[in-house]
Amino acid sequence: GAGVSQSPRYKVAKRGQDVALRCDPISGHVSLFWYQQALGQGPEFLTYFQNEAQLDKSGLPSDRFFAERPEGSVSTLKIQRTQQEDSAVYLCASSWILAGGRSFETQYFGPGTRLLVL
Amino acid sequence: AQSVTQLGSHVSVSEGALVLLRCNYSSSVPPYLFWYVQYPNQGLQLLLKYTTGATLVKGINGFEAEFKKSETSFHLTKPSAHMSDAAEYFCAVSLFGGAQKLVFGQGTRLTINP
């Protein structure tokens, strides 16, 4: 594909609802990252996958957040029982880099999913 | 732990004037450094990056940045601003190796006055 795609682009949820956000990385990219960007802030790391393995989930704010990448390509970020503080733009990025690699490949970002929890 | 500080949440310059966006980082080991630009309702686009080698890095759209280890800075400059440069700019740091997750500053909104 031409780039990283994310869907939906916009999501409005009622407090307490579950949501699922999808990321389609660039074909063949090994690494996939999720970031959360609150209004007026810089993106903050949530979690990282190398192929299908979730190697770092230290940024997930609570156990209501869950991410998966079962076949090492498409990834889904799920938020259960959404709260108003979950309102943010969720960005996905992919790259060639392997964990522990000696070179850094550019992370390519998708357009994001803007989540509004009412 | 790494951190990034961008001085000035808003910067306004006239078209044709010098653009200077400031970024200071904190890291216990030499980091990789990045500048990303974000246009409204779009994802982040890499402007330039410093990994190793030459400390003056040239990027897209006429931007450049200089890594100054002694000052722990990575300021972004462009000699002559263009209206199309109006956007949000983020400085980010990552450590060599590991998952190479990015740690971002809070961003600087650049406005260009005609």
Side-chain angles (χ1 to χ4, degrees):
Chain A
V4 178
S5 60
Q6 293 185 246
S7 60
R9 290 293 312 277
Y10 303 91
K11 176 69 178 177
V12 178
K14 292 183 179 179
R15 182 179 165 186
Q17 277 186 329
D18 297 349
V19 298
L21 312 180
R22 176 186 170 107
C23 172
D24 284 84
I26 293 173
S27 178
H29 275 191
V30 170
S31 298
L32 187 145
F33 301 79
W34 283 99
Y35 295 85
Q36 179 190 57
Q37 185 177 17
L39 187 64
Q41 303 294 319
E44 292 190 353
F45 170 80
L46 292 177
T47 187
Y48 162 71
F49 289 87
Q50 179 182 328
N51 294 307
E52 69 278 4
Q54 188 175 20
L55 298 185
D56 187 344
K57 53 182 181 179
S58 62
L60 295 177
S62 77
D63 58 7
R64 295 185 295 103
F65 286 71
F66 171 77
E68 61 183 4
R69 194 185 184 198
E71 297 180 358
S73 179
V74 171
S75 177
T76 303
L77 176 66
K78 297 179 180 179
I79 309 173
Q80 298 176 325
R81 304 181 304 281
T82 53
Q83 304 294 315
Q84 286 186 327
E85 60 263 29
D86 300 335
S87 296
V89 175
Y90 291 86
L91 296 167
C92 175
S94 69
S95 75
W96 284 107
I97 190 64
L98 296 177
R102 297 191 65 83
S103 64
F104 191 99
E105 294 294 334
T106 299
Q107 288 187 27
Y108 294 89
F109 283 81
T113 294
R114 185 176 298 276
L115 173 64
L116 176 63
V117 181
L118 302 177
Chain B
Q2 304 156 280
S3 66
V4 177
T5 302
Q6 292 184 237
L7 300 177
S9 58
H10 291 88
V11 170
S12 181
V13 302
S14 298
E15 189 175 17
L18 171 71
V19 175
L20 171 60
L21 304 183
R22 299 178 187 275
C23 173
N24 288 86
Y25 69 91
S26 171
S27 176
S28 58
V29 297
Y32 293 169
L33 295 158
F34 309 83
W35 276 99
Y36 279 85
V37 61
Q38 187 176 37
Y39 297 100
N41 299 317
Q42 295 187 27
L44 299 167
Q45 180 182 6
L46 181 70
L47 276 178
L48 48 81
K49 64 182 180 184
Y50 169 78
T51 54
T52 58
T55 56
L56 181 62
V57 180
K58 295 187 182 299
I60 62 171
N61 302 337
F63 284 94
E64 62 182 36
E66 185 172 11
F67 169 55
K68 292 187 176 180
K69 184 178 178 180
S70 62
E71 299 177 8
T72 61
S73 69
F74 192 57
H75 301 331
L76 182 70
T77 61
K78 181 175 180 177
S80 177
H82 191 273
M83 295 299 291
S84 61
D85 294 328
E88 187 91 19
Y89 291 80
F90 293 95
C91 181
V93 64
S94 175
L95 285 182
F96 166 86
Q100 301 196 349
K101 58 190 176 187
L102 296 170
V103 176
F104 287 89
Q106 290 197 321
T108 298
R109 181 168 300 278
L110 177 64
T111 302
I112 311 297
N113 301 313

